[in-house]
Amino acid sequence: MTTHVAPARSIGILGTGSYLPKEEITNEEIARRVPGITAEWIGRRTLIHGRRYAAPEEATSDLARHAATAALQQAGVEADRIDYLIVATSTGDAPLPPTSSLVQNDLGAHRAACFDINIACAGFVYALDIARALVALRPGSLALVIGADLYSRFLDYDDRGTAVLLGDGAGAAVVGAVPEPYGILDIELSGRGDVHELIWIEGGGSRVPASADTVANGGHFLRMRGRGVADFVMENVPPMIGPLLARTGTALDQVAHFVPHQANGVLLGELVQRCGLTAARTHTPLVKYGNMGAASVPVALDEASRAGLLADGELLLLAGFGAGMAAGLCLLRWCVPGVGAQAGVQTQALNSRTPSAPFPPALLAQKECAQ
């Protein structure tokens, strides 16, 4: 599906924020928990060397609140000015109430209409498109878009295909009017429900309600068919780029930054080549934080922004893809955040952070590691 929103003004990102839990989980620790693998094996096949796990008292709404606070501070916006609050997550605090309602209450964003969307790792890009449309329809309004997931509570350590990849985190963006020619140029979304069986959590819904049997049988763990997921990404994401660039009159070599979902480092290396984006800087915080689900894109975006890696006016391509299956691309012209970023606003959520390096060219040749 292609979305065509023609706002009367440019809509873009006014500020970003992110939060990573304090507990660092190394590959050595994962290798102790997962039978039959080593730390070297994890690093070679995924390029991931660490991930963060939430503290026992933390839930997805807590991660989301921290990221949202940082984004609001950078944008110079008070929480009570937010008109729409959207949380993209597949690991909400509970089936009800919506996680967005909990975040709204914690932030004091009492004017905001709030709702969740669950499109897993594509969720942040989908939520950006919804926010863009809502803000365009109500001039002067503001949206707070959050991607947050807490996968460490859904891992089966006997399943090395998922346990080595996933971590916890949250990222956020304040969306509103920006001066032309900045802002979101266009967004391309795609859904493939015919391959929904590639990533799933079986238990806990209306079809397979939670019971002693679903718990005993591991029905509440996240499952994934890794090879099928990789094939989906390679077959579906690259063809989406051409139409998006054509509609915006953009040449591929004009894209300065690629900010993809942090699925797997080897997979991303191949995707960069398939998309013809080798001249762009690919941002890969997965090296430190692993696959954070819906948080992956906004965390990568915030880290790059705070490190000063995104120059004013540069073109960015955001890419989310995952369970559903679903994929989303967002092409935007970056507007460097104003007062908050220039003043070097820092929060506890961002302490001791280091920027991602560009995707190392030498790693692009490691396709065989994913096989």
Side-chain angles (χ1 to χ4, degrees):
M1 179 184 70
T2 299
T3 58
H4 296 284
V5 177
R9 60 197 50 77
S10 294
I11 307 299
I13 292 175
L14 306 179
T16 60
S18 58
Y19 175 77
L20 284 305
K22 292 182 180 179
E23 185 179 10
E24 299 182 21
I25 305 296
T26 64
N27 285 351
E28 287 74 17
E29 174 61 27
I30 295 295
R32 285 191 287 269
R33 301 184 189 190
V34 179
I37 64 171
T38 65
E40 184 276 335
W41 183 92
I42 299 171
R44 175 167 49 84
R45 295 181 69 93
T46 70
L47 308 186
I48 294 170
H49 296 283
R51 70 282 295 146
R52 302 289 182 90
Y53 282 3
E57 68 275 10
E58 288 183 312
T60 299
S61 65
D62 300 309
L63 277 58
R65 181 184 74 251
H66 289 307
T69 299
L72 290 167
Q73 288 182 347
Q74 189 182 80
V77 171
E78 297 295 329
D80 61 6
R81 287 186 55 206
I82 295 299
D83 298 282
Y84 309 103
L85 195 161
I86 309 169
V87 173
T89 185
S90 56
T91 59
D93 287 25
L96 289 173
T99 299
S100 56
S101 297
L102 304 177
V103 177
Q104 179 208 41
N105 184 61
D106 290 343
L107 291 174
H110 301 301
R111 292 180 58 249
C114 48
F115 57 93
D116 295 359
I117 64 169
N118 178 2
I119 316 175
C121 305
F124 182 76
V125 176
Y126 271 69
L128 271 184
D129 201 18
I130 296 170
R132 176 180 68 141
L134 290 171
V135 171
L137 288 170
R138 183 184 291 181
S141 62
L142 295 170
L144 178 58
V145 178
I146 306 167
D149 271 309
L150 201 160
Y151 281 127
S152 62
R153 310 261 164 89
F154 298 86
L155 295 180
D156 178 0
Y157 288 102
D158 288 327
D159 178 9
R160 66 184 186 181
T162 56
V164 303
L165 295 173
L166 297 165
D168 306 334
V174 178
V175 176
V178 296
E180 293 183 353
Y182 298 106
I184 296 170
L185 303 185
D186 207 345
I187 291 177
E188 180 89 0
L189 304 178
S190 174
R192 287 286 308 280
D194 57 308
V195 287
H196 66 272
E197 75 282 354
L198 293 177
I199 305 175
W200 74 100
I201 296 176
E202 182 181 26
S206 61
R207 187 171 297 279
V208 184
S211 67
D213 285 342
T214 63
V215 173
N217 295 329
H220 300 270
F221 293 133
L222 185 145
R223 306 294 183 186
M224 178 172 65
R225 295 187 171 96
R227 174 48 56 189
V229 171
D231 290 343
F232 165 82
V233 174
M234 296 306 161
E235 292 170 6
N236 289 272
V237 175
M240 295 171 65
I241 295 178
L244 177 64
L245 296 181
R247 290 198 305 272
T248 59
T250 304
L252 187 61
D253 61 7
Q254 291 178 286
V255 176
H257 299 272
F258 184 44
V259 186
H261 166 51
Q262 306 293 296
N264 173 309
V266 174
L267 175 68
L268 291 184
E270 184 175 348
L271 181 62
V272 166
Q273 287 192 313
R274 290 282 188 97
C275 293
L277 288 166
T278 53
R281 179 166 188 155
T282 299
H283 297 271
T284 56
L286 66 83
V287 173
K288 299 173 290 182
Y289 308 134
N291 179 339
M292 299 165 283
S296 289
V297 171
V299 167
L301 180 64
D302 180 58
E303 185 169 88
S305 173
R306 303 235 175 202
L309 301 178
L310 309 178
D312 198 64
E314 286 189 314
L315 287 178
L316 281 60
L317 181 64
L318 315 184
F321 42 83
M325 297 294 284
L329 300 179
C330 173
L331 184 68
L332 66 95
R333 188 174 300 280
W334 186 247
C335 182
V336 173
V339 176
Q342 293 169 6
V345 172
Q346 296 292 325
T347 66
Q348 183 178 2
L350 295 162
N351 287 340
S352 302
R353 300 281 296 279
T354 55
S356 304
F359 202 94
L363 299 178
L364 299 179
Q366 294 191 4
K367 176 181 176 181
E368 68 275 7
C369 295
Q371 299 178 356

